[in-house]
Structures are given as C-alpha cells and as structure tokens.
Amino acid sequence: QKEVEQDPGPLSVPEGAIVSLNCTYSNSAFQYFMWYRQYSRKGPELLMYTYSSGNKEDGRFTAQVDKSSKYISLFIRDSQPSDSATYLCAMSGNQGGKLIFGQGTELSVKP
Amino acid sequence: DTGVSQDPRHKITKRGQNVTFRCDPISEHNRLYWYRQTLGQGPEFLTYFQNEAQLEKSRLLSDRFSAERPKGSFSTLEIQRTEQGDSAMYLCASSLSYGDSINIQYFGAGTRLSVL
C-alpha cells in the first residue's frame, strides 16, 4: 500500500463547477500538506501549503486537512478551463524534508 | 530570479550509455532535491542536499545513480549504464531552509529521459 493515495481520475467538470480533490495517507508523522498543480510537460507549481489540521483559503482555492482521519482535500470554486491540469497532493513529516506525492488527479474543465 | 533551471530538457540515449543532467537552483536556496516522475504517477523522491552535503538518499537511487552538488550551487545527476526502466521525467526542486520558516520547494520543468 502506498503512503499517499489519490484518485487518478480523470475528472471532467463544466466551467463554473465546484471541484473536490482528495487524498488519504497512512503515515501519522506527516505534518505539512501541500497541493501542487502540474500542466502537461511542466514542473509542479505550489498552490496551497497547510501545517497540521485545519482549513486554508486562497481566492477560489480551499485546502482542508483532517489529521484524525488522515484525509486532505482541495476545493476549487468557480472552476475555469485554465484550471485544467493534474493536481498533486504532497506531504512531509518535517520542514524542508522530502515530499511524498500522491499519484495526481487529472482535471478537465470544459467551457 | 529565473526559477529552477534544468538542462537538457530532453535526452534520448541508448541502453547502456551514461547520461548526466544539470540543475541550477534559485539563487541563495540552500536545499536542492531530485525527484523522478513516470507517466501517470506523482514525483518520487530520489535525494536531497543542504548546501553541498547530501542529507538523504532514497532506496530508489541504485548504485548506478550518483548526485553531486559541488560548492552548494548547481547539482548534477548521473545515471550510468542506463536501462529502459530509467525512462522518466527527472525533476529538480530547490528551497530556502532556515529556522522555523515555511520551506517551499520550487520545481524546475524537468529533464525527460528516453532510453531506447
């Protein structure tokens, strides 16, 4: 079993929809949780960064962490075609250490 | 600040050949990471450096792989006697680590390796 599980999709939604992306993990030592977005043939770029449990909002993006359930989510409101990309969750047990990534979820937002 | 730079962007080689990739981190970033990503998968950690010291290596990093970061600036990743299973995207990331500050890893565009 992988340390981080993420539904690979693909996920297709109409423009303006609310998108929910999720990851589960097994290592209780993880404390730092990130969401990266990766466009085709590009490197991942950081979207959201959360320490421990709780919610964090940045514009149309909301990240949630539930450490008791070992479950993290990313919500995208008012989705746009430009949001079409692969979304990767990533976690770490310590600041500046290696990141453990999920498989990535491929999202397509149709106009 | 031009971001993390990787060279070459693409490399095609024959099985058994040696290849070397270069990564130039964001200036003044003291940590540098290497990851490998295959199609449809998330990046997998290979190794990372703080300045010139290699702090951690993954079990994925067989003895055919070697990474260096002389003088704590750019880094090279060499693969000897390449195998078809080495075909992947090799990603480099860098970060600034000090005290309790948030440590964000910024990724380059990657080097895509194809072993024929």
Side-chain angles (χ1 to χ4, degrees), chain A residues 5 17 24 43 50 52 66 70 73 75 81 103-104:
Chain A
E5 299 279 357
T24 58
T50 309
S52 193
D66 181 349
K70 297 189 178 67
S73 301
F75 297 96
Q103 186 176 351

Side-chain angles (χ1 to χ4, degrees), chain A residues 2 8 34 36 38 41-46 49 88 94-104, chain B residues 9-10 31 33 35 37 40-43 45 48 56 91 100-105 107-109 112:
Chain A
K2 293 183 177 181
M34 286 135 276
Y36 281 83
Q38 186 174 27
R41 301 189 180 278
K42 302 286 187 182
E45 59 174 326
L46 183 71
Y49 182 108
L88 297 154
N94 53 68
Q95 273 276 47
K98 65 185 178 186
L99 296 179
I100 307 299
F101 283 86
Q103 186 176 351
Chain B
R9 291 295 310 279
H10 300 99
R31 290 201 173 181
Y33 310 77
Y35 293 84
Q37 186 176 25
Q41 301 296 317
F45 170 78
Y48 86 94
E56 187 173 352
L91 292 163
D100 293 330
S101 67
I102 294 174
N103 188 313
I104 304 296
Q105 293 185 29
F107 284 80
R112 184 173 297 279

Side-chain angles (χ1 to χ4, degrees), chain A residues 3-7 19-28 30 32-35 50 52-55 62-75 89-91:
Chain A
E3 280 190 284
V4 180
E5 299 279 357
Q6 182 177 7
D7 187 339
V19 176
S20 172
L21 304 167
N22 311 293
C23 287
T24 58
Y25 63 95
S26 58
N27 190 342
S28 57
F30 289 146
Y32 301 90
F33 304 91
M34 286 135 276
W35 286 95
T50 309
S52 193
S53 286
N55 295 355
T62 300
Q64 291 185 350
V65 175
D66 181 349
K67 289 188 71 178
S68 63
S69 301
K70 297 189 178 67
Y71 187 88
I72 71 170
S73 301
L74 178 71
F75 297 96
C89 62
M91 316 182 180

Side-chain angles (χ1 to χ4, degrees), chain A residues 36-45 47 60-61 80-88 107, chain B residues 37 89 109 112:
Chain A
Y36 281 83
R37 178 174 61 194
Q38 186 174 27
Y39 292 112
S40 180
R41 301 189 180 278
K42 302 286 187 182
E45 59 174 326
L47 280 176
R60 297 185 295 111
F61 298 90
Q80 302 295 309
S82 59
D83 294 329
S84 298
T86 295
Y87 289 79
L88 297 154
L107 172 67
Chain B
Q37 186 176 25
M89 174 79 86
R112 184 173 297 279

Side-chain angles (χ1 to χ4, degrees), chain B residues 20-97:
Chain B
T20 300
F21 310 140
R22 177 179 170 122
C23 172
D24 287 273
I26 294 171
S27 61
E28 299 184 356
H29 275 193
N30 54 358
R31 290 201 173 181
L32 187 148
Y33 310 77
W34 286 100
Y35 293 84
R36 180 172 67 188
Q37 186 176 25
T38 54
L39 196 63
Q41 301 296 317
E44 291 180 296
F45 170 78
L46 293 178
T47 188
Y48 86 94
F49 295 83
Q50 172 144 327
N51 300 315
E52 65 274 10
Q54 190 171 19
L55 295 189
E56 187 173 352
K57 292 170 59 174
S58 165
R59 287 170 295 177
L60 292 174
L61 214 64
S62 76
D63 56 5
R64 295 186 299 106
F65 289 71
S66 62
E68 295 183 338
R69 193 184 182 198
K71 302 179 183 178
S73 56
F74 71 92
S75 176
T76 57
L77 178 68
E78 180 183 17
I79 309 174
Q80 296 182 329
R81 306 180 303 280
T82 53
E83 301 173 356
Q84 288 186 326
D86 297 331
S87 295
M89 174 79 86
Y90 289 83
L91 292 163
C92 177
S94 71
S95 71
L96 180 61
S97 177

